[in-house]
């Protein structure tokens, strides 16, 4: 089951390493005519990094594609990001990433002085449309690479998520989002549902809490 990581010193150190790698990635992508920004899902400042039992700690990041040659060429975007990510990981003496349906995941990373604590970077490629809705890049595998499908999948109810989260925090009910986020992640884990990454769970948690507070006229 998922739970929140409480070791703030380790989180700070590991997130610094992740940020260094992902900063190098955005620089590399810029050289390949893609402008992008990365951010930790749920915001690292809100301490929403989770771990499933003794598995590696998951640092879930979104890579927001802001500019590229062709937003409709999803295969080219995914492949460009994958190759750039592998180049950067290699430069940091790390192995190539794994390419899953909705993310790119680094192999396990650890510090020499803390070899028993491992973590990974789970990178979801996203973009925001002109109406404020978020879309994540999906790589639908068929078993035969040439037939694989690549497309943008609109995240439901993803508009104004930041504005909603800010209002919840201002109302003093942010702990409700943390509780809902963890509940959703564990519910999907029990169902063996891999179609709801942290990005989607976070959006659902914010919307659920926001709608509940609004119904109670507490926001």
């Amino acid at each position: 089951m998922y739970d929140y990581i409480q070791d703030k010193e380790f989180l700070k150190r590991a997130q610094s390493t992740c940020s260094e790698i992902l900063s190098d990635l955005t620089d590399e992508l810029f050289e390949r005519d893609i402008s992008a920004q990365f951010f930790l899902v749920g915001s690292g400042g809100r301490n929403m990094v989770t771990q499933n039992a003794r598995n590696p700690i998951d640092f879930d990041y979104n890579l927001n594609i802001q500019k590229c040659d062709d937003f409709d060429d999803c295969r080219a975007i995914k492949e460009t990001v994958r190759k750039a990510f592998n180049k950067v990981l290699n430069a940091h003496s790390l192995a190539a990433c794994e390419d899953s349906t909705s993310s790119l995941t680094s192999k396990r990373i650890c510090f020499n002085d803390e070899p028993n604590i491992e973590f990974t970077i789970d990178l979801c490629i996203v973009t925001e449309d002109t109406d404020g809705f978020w879309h994540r890049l999906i790589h639908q595998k068929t078993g035969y690479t040439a037939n694989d499908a690549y497309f943008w999948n609109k995240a439901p109810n993803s508009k104004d998520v930041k504005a909603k989260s800010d209002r919840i925090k201002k109302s003093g009910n942010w702990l409700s989002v943390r509780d809902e986020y963890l509940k959703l992640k564990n519910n999907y884990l029990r169902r063996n549902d891999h179609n709801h990454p942290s990005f989607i769970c976070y959006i659902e948690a914010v919307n659920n809490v926001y709608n509940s507070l609004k119904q109670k006229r507490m926001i």
Side-chain angles (χ1 to χ4, degrees):
M1 301 298 289
Y2 284 105
D3 206 348
Y4 286 117
I5 303 300
Q6 303 300 328
D7 189 340
K8 293 183 179 180
E9 287 302 315
F10 178 81
L11 286 177
K12 183 178 179 181
R13 185 182 181 189
Q15 286 174 13
S16 177
T17 296
C18 294
S19 292
E20 182 181 348
I21 291 170
L22 294 177
S23 291
D24 289 346
L25 172 60
T26 57
D27 289 343
E28 180 63 29
L29 288 173
F30 187 76
E31 295 297 321
R32 303 181 187 215
D33 298 322
I34 292 180
S35 295
Q37 288 183 331
F38 66 89
F39 55 92
L40 189 63
V41 172
S43 172
R46 291 166 182 162
N47 299 319
M48 295 180 72
V49 177
T50 59
Q51 182 179 23
N52 180 9
R54 294 185 178 180
N55 291 326
I57 297 170
D58 295 323
F59 287 98
D60 297 294
Y61 284 88
N62 282 349
L63 182 72
N64 178 22
I65 305 298
Q66 299 172 307
K67 184 180 178 182
C68 64
D69 289 336
D70 185 358
F71 275 94
D72 292 328
D73 194 347
C74 295
R75 180 188 290 267
I77 294 171
K78 181 71 179 280
E79 279 299 287
T80 300
V81 173
R82 184 183 66 82
K83 290 175 182 178
F85 194 24
N86 283 339
K87 181 178 178 180
V88 169
L89 289 171
N90 182 257
H92 285 264
S93 300
L94 298 170
C97 65
E98 296 179 3
D99 181 3
S100 65
T101 302
S102 61
S103 64
L104 296 169
T105 305
S106 72
K107 294 297 197 300
R108 299 183 180 193
I109 305 169
C110 67
F111 299 119
N112 291 332
D113 57 343
E114 292 186 278
N116 295 324
I117 307 178
E118 299 176 315
F119 60 95
T120 63
I121 300 172
D122 200 48
L123 192 64
C124 186
I125 302 171
V126 303
T127 193
E128 186 178 18
D129 65 27
T130 54
D131 293 320
F133 287 97
W134 287 94
H135 303 250
R136 57 186 174 126
L137 202 158
I138 300 297
H139 175 191
Q140 192 173 69
K141 299 183 179 183
T142 62
Y144 184 57
T145 305
N147 292 335
D148 287 359
Y150 295 77
F151 55 90
W152 292 110
N153 185 50
K154 184 179 179 180
N157 304 314
S158 58
K159 187 176 182 180
D160 302 326
V161 172
K162 186 179 186 306
K164 290 176 182 177
S165 65
D166 288 343
R167 288 189 65 182
I168 294 169
K169 193 173 183 182
K170 188 176 181 180
S171 73
N173 289 283
W174 187 253
L175 284 178
S176 297
V177 174
R178 284 172 51 85
D179 292 342
E180 182 70 8
Y181 176 70
L182 200 62
K183 183 182 79 173
L184 288 168
K185 290 202 67 162
N186 283 319
N187 283 344
Y188 290 128
L189 179 65
R190 291 188 194 97
R191 299 174 197 168
N192 199 28
D193 183 336
H194 302 292
N195 294 317
H196 292 78
S198 296
F199 175 46
I200 301 299
C201 291
Y202 177 69
I203 290 173
E204 288 185 3
V206 169
N207 280 316
N208 290 350
V209 173
Y210 181 85
N211 291 336
S212 175
L213 293 174
K214 192 173 182 181
Q215 188 176 30
K216 297 174 183 176
R217 298 183 179 182
M218 296 173 63
I219 200 168

